[in-house]
Amino acid sequence: MLSLDSFWEDTRKYWADLRSIGPVVIVTDGLRDGTAYYLTRREDMLEVLLDPNRYVRTAPSPTRRAVDLTRPLLRRREVNADMSSPLRERAAAAIDSVAVAVASGKAVMTSEIGSLFADHVFFAMTGISYREELPQAVSEHRTAFLSKLVDQAGNPIDDAEAVDLVEMLVLAGHEALAAAANNAVREFLVKPELYDELREGPQRVADFVDELVGTVSTTITRETTAAVTVAGVEIPAGSRVELCVGAPADGPGGRLDFGTGLHQCIGRHLSVLALTAFVQEWLTL
């Protein structure tokens, strides 16, 4: 496993410190006015994620219909077939525009690069640069993704609903995708040996992307609808429970960066493919 020393080591230490306290860490949060229960064991987090009746989301979540309409289009096979080439093209375009800006003497922040790439992922999905043009892109079936979204058999969907669904996906993933791309750029800038290592062993890009995902993992928040007991700790009804998704052992079998069960992130395959395309294109520089 490759190591992102500038970001990942501090994160690992933070999770390790939490794990050393116990499976349930009780934190008094002055900013959010209350007590939170941080869970650090994978088995406890899985129990929470798979029980949406006793542990409910605190933020708005996609409707069941929205998930049913978008999930089939964002499975690994469909994303690879429809989005691989567009994502590589948009990654190249984003990186080229940064190179042009730098060559002209403009100072470019790494945060700008990540945000720009996230915008280009939106372009790969829709074929447009500005969200104001989204209704027209939907009506014209501008990309394979939009065409499949609107023309799903057995699921009548009008253009207005399709626009709402695309907006939902963009808002859900833009910030985390931009942050992960930022971290990749920073890591390449401070560790040229990592850049060389990945160029010489491109098969290790998947490991690097997996760790990139870990650099933006924080917590998944739920609220209890009834009193529960987790690892011997009694948690009252109405309590905030924070799932420390990066705390378990490293690797896809340990961390729960994208959640699981009913509320698993529907854009996880798109996010991984997009980051892979970005890293692969950066390695061509």
Side-chain angles (χ1 to χ4, degrees):
M1 180 69 72
L2 298 172
S3 179
L4 280 69
D5 291 339
S6 300
F7 306 95
W8 190 227
E9 291 307 317
D10 286 344
T11 303
R12 281 178 173 166
K13 184 178 185 305
Y14 173 74
W15 295 135
D17 288 343
L18 279 181
R19 287 196 303 268
S20 69
I21 297 172
V24 180
V25 181
I26 304 174
V27 178
T28 301
D29 190 339
L31 293 176
R32 297 177 68 172
D33 189 28
T35 298
Y37 297 81
Y38 284 70
L39 309 189
T40 64
R41 294 195 311 194
R42 188 174 193 273
E43 57 265 37
D44 297 327
M45 287 184 261
L46 282 173
E47 182 176 341
V48 171
L49 290 168
L50 295 174
D51 187 353
N53 294 319
R54 290 195 301 167
Y55 303 91
V56 297
R57 292 179 62 125
T58 58
S61 59
T63 64
R64 185 73 256 171
R65 176 171 169 80
V67 173
D68 289 342
L69 288 169
T70 54
R71 191 186 297 279
L73 310 181
L74 294 173
R75 293 181 180 133
R76 182 182 287 107
R77 182 176 62 184
E78 282 71 23
V79 167
N80 287 341
D82 295 337
M83 303 289 285
S84 290
S85 294
L87 285 172
R88 286 296 296 265
E89 292 169 3
R90 301 323 305 174
I95 292 169
D96 286 347
S97 65
V98 171
V100 169
V102 171
S104 67
K106 179 182 176 182
V108 178
M109 302 291 290
T110 55
S111 58
E112 295 179 81
I113 300 173
S115 182
L116 175 63
F117 174 64
D119 289 341
H120 275 269
V121 173
F122 172 72
F123 186 101
M125 291 175 61
T126 62
I128 59 173
S129 298
Y130 302 100
R131 294 181 190 175
E132 292 79 7
E133 302 169 359
L134 185 54
Q136 182 177 354
V138 168
S139 66
E140 295 175 355
H141 295 194
R142 193 76 61 88
T143 63
F145 173 79
L146 291 180
S147 181
K148 290 181 178 180
L149 178 63
V150 175
D151 293 337
Q152 293 185 67
N155 281 309
I157 178 174
D158 59 25
D159 289 0
E161 186 176 11
V163 169
D164 288 343
L165 290 172
V166 174
E167 289 280 11
M168 174 199 73
L169 292 172
V170 173
L171 290 173
H174 189 282
E175 183 178 349
L177 188 61
N182 292 343
N183 290 351
V185 174
R186 291 170 183 164
E187 199 67 11
F188 286 139
L189 292 177
V190 301
K191 291 181 62 180
E193 68 276 11
L194 175 61
Y195 178 89
D196 293 338
E197 183 178 355
L198 288 174
R199 288 195 68 178
E200 295 170 3
Q203 71 279 1
R204 304 191 69 185
V205 167
D207 289 339
F208 181 65
V209 169
D210 179 61
E211 292 227 342
L212 281 177
V213 171
T215 65
V216 295
S217 295
T218 53
T219 61
I220 295 175
T221 305
R222 293 291 187 266
E223 184 176 301
T224 57
T225 59
V228 297
T229 300
V230 178
V233 177
E234 294 184 3
I235 302 177
S239 297
R240 179 162 58 91
V241 176
E242 298 286 353
L243 312 184
C244 303
V245 293
D250 301 339
R255 301 194 325 257
L256 294 166
D257 304 300
F258 292 110
T260 193
L262 181 64
H263 296 298
Q264 188 175 50
C265 175
I266 57 178
R268 63 194 183 281
H269 299 308
L270 176 61
S271 298
V272 170
L273 185 63
L275 286 172
T276 300
F278 180 80
V279 171
Q280 289 173 333
E281 286 299 321
W282 196 275
L283 292 174
T284 66
L285 297 176

